[in-house]
Amino acid sequence: MGGGEKMRGGEKMYNTSTPMPTHQLSDSNRGIMGNHNDNNARNLRVYQTWKGSNIFCFGGRLVFGPDVRSLFLTIFLIMIPVILFSAFVSQRLINDFQHQLGYYVVVICVILTAHVIILLFLTSARDPGIIPRNLHPPEDEGSSISADWPGSLVAGPSLPPTKDVMVNGMVVKVKYCQTCLLYRPPRCSHCSICNNCVERFDHHCPWVGQCIGKRNYRFFFMFVSSTTMLCLYVLAFCWVNIRKIMDTYHCNMWTAFLKSPVSGILILYTFICAWFVGGLTAFHLYLIFTNQTTYENFRYRYDGKMNPYNLGCIRNVLEVFFSKIPKSKNKFRAKVRVNSSSSYASSMPLGDSLSPEVPKRSFNIEVGKRQAVADEDFEDIQSQIDSVGGLERCGTQPRHTNWDHKANWEITPDIHVLAAEFGMESGLADRQKISRDH
């Protein structure tokens, strides 16, 4: 009998514990249910239902990574030496330099520091190039796939784990992302920290607390290179201060360090930092000239191979620094309609011209997994019942007589539970009774 239907005295009754199919409801009942769903629905912003690990500020206007706290450490490491330089070292430079050149030294240091902090926020507080997730798997285009592909249980139709696309006349494989339910574009990768697919993924930088991708790589390189310049600037004028002390007091270097210990500390600190950020700047210059990302350099090793993205040194530089930054593909402040009685929330904006309504095939991934397992269990139950019925009709016994008779015919408690879930308990009881008679 169909789910929710029972027979009593030749009269069809519906079980109230099972939802009644909507096509069997009257118009008035449909209206009541529709009003109930409308009452439970709420209007939220996309960033409030975001499935990634990002942290949003100012109503979704700023997008940070989950490790945004490291941003405060980075600001501290930048500001403290600049404050020490301005408070202790610059005073002597102002007095020693003529024509107020000492003031210009301090002003340039402050401007360069502000420039670094602005670039840091431009890198950390923007969408790095996140690709929106699909609500359902893409349509299969007839590609074949091996039977052990795990996505086939969830995605319904079999989807190949990779596809071949042409990039500048070369074949490039793109992978299917089971989390975002999409085929990643070339140079795209899924960040395990932010839990997003990011275009032209370079790496996830813990110092800025954000992924580095297509929309913020330019600012990231400018931040790293500007930080290198700031370190070298402070290092150079701390040395100038030490030289001024040596000339004024006619002493050696160690005595000058004792007279200005802050200069010695800053020289050591900026020297170490300059090696770190300076080496990072040089490495990314190499990546820009060869049109690689950090991920590609460590993963694929294009040295000695043909890089399909390499356009030549000059064109590679123009692509990074002078190309237009694409707009974000996510409308974090767009409104979505969420049903408060369900755990699933659509991430499609209301009134979006590209997708006016949520496709009917959208579903929750975990629900899909459980449904796939339930379907398999149902098929196992059905096959066991059919095998018992077939042997009953044919009057035959199993061919392998050395099997345990009880173990072969006994139906386990797990099968009883699953059978009760699918409304087949009575049929199983009859089959088990017949098998005991045999």
Side-chain angles (χ1 to χ4, degrees):
M1 192 66 62
E5 295 183 12
K6 293 184 179 179
M7 294 295 296
R8 188 177 66 183
E11 183 180 4
K12 182 184 292 187
M13 300 186 63
Y14 281 94
N15 186 359
T16 56
S17 62
T18 305
M20 186 181 299
T22 56
H23 67 273
Q24 295 179 353
L25 295 173
S26 64
D27 294 337
S28 59
N29 288 336
R30 284 199 199 97
I32 293 174
M33 292 186 66
N35 293 333
H36 177 70
N37 292 333
D38 291 339
N39 293 333
N40 289 334
R42 295 182 300 161
N43 288 336
L44 298 177
R45 303 283 184 179
V46 169
Y47 76 90
Q48 294 174 319
T49 62
W50 190 250
K51 294 184 179 181
S53 303
N54 300 88
I55 297 176
F56 298 89
C57 297
F58 298 103
R61 292 177 175 87
L62 301 181
V63 186
F64 296 95
D67 48 351
V68 65
R69 293 181 180 179
S70 61
L71 192 64
F72 297 100
L73 175 62
T74 304
I75 295 175
F76 175 81
L77 295 176
I78 295 173
M79 293 298 300
I80 290 300
V82 173
I83 293 174
L84 292 177
F85 176 81
S86 301
F88 298 98
V89 180
S90 62
Q91 296 299 322
R92 185 178 297 274
L93 295 176
I94 292 174
N95 296 329
D96 291 342
F97 280 105
Q98 299 178 356
H99 307 293
Q100 298 182 343
L101 292 178
Y103 289 103
Y104 290 111
V105 172
V106 179
V107 170
I108 292 174
C109 181
V110 172
I111 293 176
L112 190 56
T113 303
H115 177 69
V116 170
I117 297 298
I118 291 173
L119 289 173
L120 175 61
F121 276 99
L122 287 175
T123 304
S124 179
R126 68 187 292 127
D127 176 5
I130 300 173
I131 298 185
R133 303 187 182 199
N134 282 338
L135 295 176
H136 57 85
E139 294 290 341
D140 185 21
E141 298 178 355
S143 302
S144 59
I145 182 175
S146 59
D148 58 351
W149 168 235
S152 59
L153 294 178
V154 180
S158 298
L159 293 173
T162 61
K163 281 189 176 183
D164 294 336
V165 296
M166 296 295 294
V167 177
N168 295 328
M170 300 183 187
V171 178
V172 176
K173 289 186 178 296
V174 294
K175 296 181 179 180
Y176 179 76
C177 180
Q178 298 186 57
T179 303
C180 300
L181 300 180
L182 53 84
Y183 281 100
R184 302 167 189 162
R187 315 193 84 175
C188 173
S189 183
H190 189 92
C191 177
S192 59
I193 299 176
C194 293
N195 196 23
N196 296 311
C197 280
V198 180
E199 280 190 289
R200 202 185 185 277
F201 177 77
D202 191 88
H203 69 288
H204 184 95
C205 181
W207 296 102
V208 302
Q210 181 65 283
C211 284
I212 307 302
K214 189 173 184 178
R215 298 190 70 250
N216 65 348
Y217 179 78
R218 178 186 306 175
F219 301 111
F220 169 76
F221 177 80
M222 294 173 65
F223 162 70
V224 173
S225 58
S226 299
T227 305
T228 304
M229 294 174 58
L230 178 62
C231 290
L232 295 177
Y233 185 88
V234 174
L235 174 64
F237 280 99
C238 284
W239 269 114
V240 170
N241 186 46
I242 294 296
R243 293 297 303 177
K244 290 286 185 181
I245 294 175
M246 293 172 62
D247 294 339
T248 302
Y249 295 96
H250 304 286
C251 60
N252 57 23
M253 184 183 300
W254 303 111
T255 304
F257 278 134
L258 292 176
K259 292 183 177 295
S260 179
V262 176
S263 296
I265 294 173
L266 289 179
I267 287 174
L268 179 62
Y269 177 83
T270 53
F271 178 78
I272 296 174
C273 292
W275 269 106
F276 174 71
V277 293
L280 196 60
T281 302
F283 173 68
H284 279 278
L285 275 174
Y286 162 73
L287 295 180
I288 291 172
F289 289 151
T290 57
N291 207 332
Q292 299 183 60
T293 64
T294 303
Y295 179 81
E296 291 169 351
N297 182 263
F298 284 92
R299 180 76 180 269
Y300 301 114
R301 293 289 181 181
Y302 284 132
D303 297 337
K305 300 179 182 179
M306 290 296 294
N307 181 1
Y309 309 106
N310 192 351
L311 305 175
C313 182
I314 297 178
R315 292 180 63 186
N316 293 338
V317 173
L318 293 176
E319 180 181 312
V320 173
F321 294 108
F322 298 99
S323 62
K324 184 179 179 180
I325 298 177
K327 293 183 179 180
S328 174
K329 296 183 178 180
N330 302 278
K331 300 178 181 179
F332 296 109
R333 289 183 50 77
K335 292 184 178 181
V336 293
R337 196 164 185 80
V338 180
N339 193 344
S340 59
S341 62
S342 64
S343 60
Y344 176 76
S346 169
S347 61
M348 301 298 292
L350 287 179
D352 193 343
S353 60
L354 295 179
S355 52
E357 61 180 4
V358 178
K360 295 181 179 179
R361 293 184 57 209
S362 60
F363 59 90
N364 186 278
I365 298 300
E366 296 300 327
V367 174
K369 291 180 180 178
R370 291 194 294 269
Q371 184 62 40
V373 174
D375 292 342
E376 290 182 355
D377 294 335
F378 179 78
E379 292 177 0
D380 292 340
I381 297 170
Q382 191 66 42
S383 62
Q384 289 193 27
I385 295 174
D386 292 341
S387 62
V388 173
L391 291 172
E392 174 192 341
R393 289 190 298 270
C394 298
T396 59
Q397 296 295 331
R399 295 176 60 185
H400 301 282
T401 56
N402 58 341
W403 287 0
D404 182 20
H405 181 74
K406 181 178 180 181
N408 189 36
W409 289 100
E410 183 178 0
I411 299 177
T412 63
D414 294 337
I415 301 299
H416 278 293
V417 173
L418 291 171
E421 182 178 351
F422 287 98
M424 300 168 56
E425 181 66 35
S426 59
L428 278 177
D430 296 338
R431 301 293 187 186
Q432 192 172 14
K433 181 178 179 181
I434 294 172
S435 65
R436 283 197 296 267
D437 293 341
H438 278 282

